[in-house]
Each structure stands twice: as structure tokens, then as C-alpha cells.
């Protein structure tokens, strides 16, 4: 039973809520670590996570930052070659967290620090490397229900360490932070997507992507850019997308239109 493995915790008193989604035997894309509120809206949350990549096979790590209720949600999706019970390959392992808006009032480098911590704890807790086929290894372990007691103990330990983590970054001491109205224009723009070549080191691009998110929200604090944090479920703020065959000598990019269609030119 999946209930023998899943670890859920109270939402109260935590400003950052970590979660892990994995395919466990017949249970597709299941929350095995999550705040107690998420399993109650399991299908909705799962559909929002995978709305941009449903029915697509990922060739490399995919990440996105999007709105979920009053939270900023960060996910990192690790593709695998593991097959489900029906023989379908390409199962996914997803880690992420829901971040309260107030966190960005007081701390720097929130997203980068927390996601790196999650990856480090999973690597050490399960003796894997998520950037070197570790997602395959972890899914295979999770598929073996004979080890659920040991696996649950490890998940409980990881959960306790994540929830007890105190953000060490210095506080920002200016006026109170708030997300800005989308009607107000600001000086700087937020990238909608960051494309990276599949053949490149994923860990470096994940860190760059998370730094970009942290920069965006810290700049929003000082009202230098606009973060339209509305209530549209799953609306992307920034997405990290693996792309096949990006030429190594590209220095610039522009979006152009052909009648009502858009295309990207690389220079």
C-alpha cells in the first residue's frame, strides 16, 4: 500500500513546504512526501505540475517556477529510463517546494539554497546522485515494497531535516515586500523561459535557473521589476527547458512573427 510509504506533515508553522512526487507501482505520479493539504487535492496538483509536459518524453532535467494559490511553487523534474508495470518507459521523479511570499521579505537566495538542500539530502539519504542516473536508482528502490519500512524511515529523516532547516541568508531591511500589480510597469523584465542544451551539465543550469528566480523576487522587493502573482493555478513565472541541438556559437535570440505564428531566431 502506498500509505505504508508516504510521509505527510502538518502545513502549519512552516514557510517552505517540500514535496516529492514519484511513480510507485500502480500509483502514478504520487505524492510520497508532502504537506497534509496536498493529498486532498492530489489530482489537481499533479495536473498542474505536469501541464506543460504531459504526454512528452523528457530528454533532460526540466524545471519551472509557477503560482499555486498564494505560494510560489518550484519543481525540478528528473527523467528516468525506468518502466512502469505496463512496460511504459520514461517515468519521472519530481522534487519541489511551496514557498510563502513572506519568505522573500526577509531572506536572500531562498530557492537556490532550499532546492540544493533537498537534492543533497536525497543523494545522501538514498546513496544516489540525482544528476547521474540517481532518479532511476531511487525509483527502483521505491518500487520495491519489501523495503517500505526502511524507505519510510529515510523519508521521515529527510522531512525532519527540511522542516527544521533555518534559512541563514541575511535579512533585507528596506520597506515591506509585496508582489506588485501587473498593471504597474517596471524597469526590468523577467525571462519567461530559459533554454539550455540537453548535452550540457544539468546541475549547473539548475543552479543558474534558481539564481534567476531568487534575483527576480529580490528585485521585486525593491519594486524594480514586476511579478504578476495572480491566482491563475499553474501559471508559469519562469521555466527551464532542455532543447536538443542548440548550436554552441549562439550569442543572441529574437522572437519574430509570421502572420499569427511566432518563431525564435538564434544568432
Amino acid at each position: 500500500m502506498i500509505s505504508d510509504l508516504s510521509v505527510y506533515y502538518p502545513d502549519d508553522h512552516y514557510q517552505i513546504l517540500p514535496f516529492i512526487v514519484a511513480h510507485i507501482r500502480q500509483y502514478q505520479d504520487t505524492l510520497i512526501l508532502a504537506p497534509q493539504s496536498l493529498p486532498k487535492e492530489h489530482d489537481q496538483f499533479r495536473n498542474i505540475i505536469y501541464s506543460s509536459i504531459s504526454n512528452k518524453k523528457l530528454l533532460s532535467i526540466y524545471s519551472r517556477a509557477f503560482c499555486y494559490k498564494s505560494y510560489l511553487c518550484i519543481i525540478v523534474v528528473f527523467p528516468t529510463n525506468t518502466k512502469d508495470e505496463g512496460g511504459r518507459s520514461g517515468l519521472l521523479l519530481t522534487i519541489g517546494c511551496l514557498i510563502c511570499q513572506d519568505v522573500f521579505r526577509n531572506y536572500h537566495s531562498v530557492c537556490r539554497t532550499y532546492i540544493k538542500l533537498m537534492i543533497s539530502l536525497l543523494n545522501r539519504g538514498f546513496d544516489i546522485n540525482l544528476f547521474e542516473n540517481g532518479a532511476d536508482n531511487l525509483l527502483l528502490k521505491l518500487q520495491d515494497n519489501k523495503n517500505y519500512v526502511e524507505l519510510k524511515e529515510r523519508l521521515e529523516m529527510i522531512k525532519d531535516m527540511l522542516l527544521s532547516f533555518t534559512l541563514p541568508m541575511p535579512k533585507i531591511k528596506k520597506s515591506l515586500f509585496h508582489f506588485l500589480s501587473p498593471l504597474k510597469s517596471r524597469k526590468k523584465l523577467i525571462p519567461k523561459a530559459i533554454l539550455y542544451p540537453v548535452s550540457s551539465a544539468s546541475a549547473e543550469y539548475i543552479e543558474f535557473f534558481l539564481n534567476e528566480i531568487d534575483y527576480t523576487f529580490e528585485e521585486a522587493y525593491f519594486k524594480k521589476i514586476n511579478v504578476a502573482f495572480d491566482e491563475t493555478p499553474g501559471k508559469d513565472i519562469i521555466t527551464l527547458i532542455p532543447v536538443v541541438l542548440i548550436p554552441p556559437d549562439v550569442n543572441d535570440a529574437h522572437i519574430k512573427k509570421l502572420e499569427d505564428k511566432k518563431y525564435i531566431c538564434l544568432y
Side-chain angles (χ1 to χ4, degrees):
M1 292 290 292
I2 190 64
S3 58
D4 297 331
L5 176 64
S6 300
V7 173
Y8 302 141
Y9 58 88
D11 299 40
D12 299 341
H13 309 302
Y14 301 112
Q15 292 184 301
I16 302 181
L17 307 175
F19 59 84
I20 301 173
V21 181
H23 189 114
I24 311 298
R25 292 186 171 271
Q26 72 269 31
Y27 302 99
Q28 297 184 7
D29 301 321
T30 299
L31 286 159
I32 61 170
L33 173 67
Q36 290 175 346
S37 62
L38 282 188
K40 298 175 183 177
E41 49 203 41
H42 186 282
D43 290 345
Q44 176 193 14
F45 186 67
R46 180 186 61 188
N47 291 339
I48 288 174
I49 284 180
Y50 298 121
S51 60
S52 304
I53 55 173
S54 58
N55 301 320
K56 297 177 184 177
K57 184 172 182 178
L58 287 182
L59 299 176
S60 189
I61 294 172
Y62 172 85
S63 186
R64 55 191 290 242
F66 59 92
C67 309
Y68 187 75
K69 297 186 175 179
S70 59
Y71 295 97
L72 168 67
C73 184
I74 309 291
I75 65 166
V76 181
V77 185
F78 295 88
T80 76
N81 293 313
T82 305
K83 296 181 179 180
D84 63 13
E85 293 184 321
R88 180 175 63 96
S89 63
L91 300 183
L92 304 175
L93 175 73
T94 300
I95 69 169
C97 58
L98 300 171
I99 305 178
C100 293
Q101 299 179 27
D102 289 344
V103 171
F104 295 97
R105 177 187 303 169
N106 300 321
Y107 299 101
H108 293 295
S109 303
V110 173
C111 302
R112 182 180 65 87
T113 302
Y114 204 82
I115 293 297
K116 286 183 67 177
L117 175 65
M118 287 193 72
I119 292 172
S120 176
L121 290 176
L122 283 169
N123 286 345
R124 294 166 65 181
F126 291 99
D127 192 24
I128 59 174
N129 184 337
L130 285 173
F131 294 106
E132 295 181 7
N133 300 318
D136 283 272
N137 295 333
L138 182 52
L139 278 188
L140 289 174
K141 292 178 181 181
L142 295 173
Q143 301 288 357
D144 185 3
N145 57 8
K146 296 178 182 178
N147 296 321
Y148 273 10
V149 173
E150 178 187 353
L151 292 172
K152 185 161 187 172
E153 288 178 353
R154 295 189 186 191
L155 284 171
E156 290 276 7
M157 177 191 69
I158 290 170
K159 178 262 296 182
D160 290 342
M161 295 181 73
L162 286 171
L163 295 181
S164 63
F165 177 71
T166 302
L167 289 165
M169 287 69 69
K171 290 185 177 180
I172 302 172
K173 299 194 180 288
K174 300 275 184 174
S175 59
L176 291 180
F177 173 87
H178 64 280
F179 288 93
L180 305 175
S181 165
L183 300 177
K184 296 180 181 179
S185 61
R186 296 301 173 198
K187 299 177 182 178
K188 299 182 181 180
L189 298 175
I190 305 170
K192 299 295 184 183
I194 297 172
L195 312 181
Y196 79 96
V198 168
S199 58
S200 298
S202 298
E204 297 173 2
Y205 282 96
I206 286 291
E207 182 154 359
F208 172 79
F209 174 69
L210 296 172
N211 277 332
E212 191 71 27
I213 298 171
D214 284 324
Y215 169 79
T216 295
F217 282 86
E218 288 171 19
E219 288 292 282
Y221 171 85
F222 294 112
K223 303 183 181 181
K224 293 181 180 178
I225 57 177
N226 170 42
V227 178
F229 204 92
D230 60 25
E231 296 181 356
T232 304
K235 181 177 179 180
D236 279 345
I237 298 172
I238 311 177
T239 309
L240 179 70
I241 304 173
V243 179
V244 179
L245 300 178
I246 294 181
D249 56 346
V250 169
N251 295 312
D252 201 357
H254 294 286
I255 294 179
K256 294 188 177 183
K257 283 188 176 182
L258 180 64
E259 296 180 350
D260 60 341
K261 296 180 174 60
K262 294 181 180 179
Y263 60 96
I264 299 174
C265 289
L266 304 180
Y267 299 90

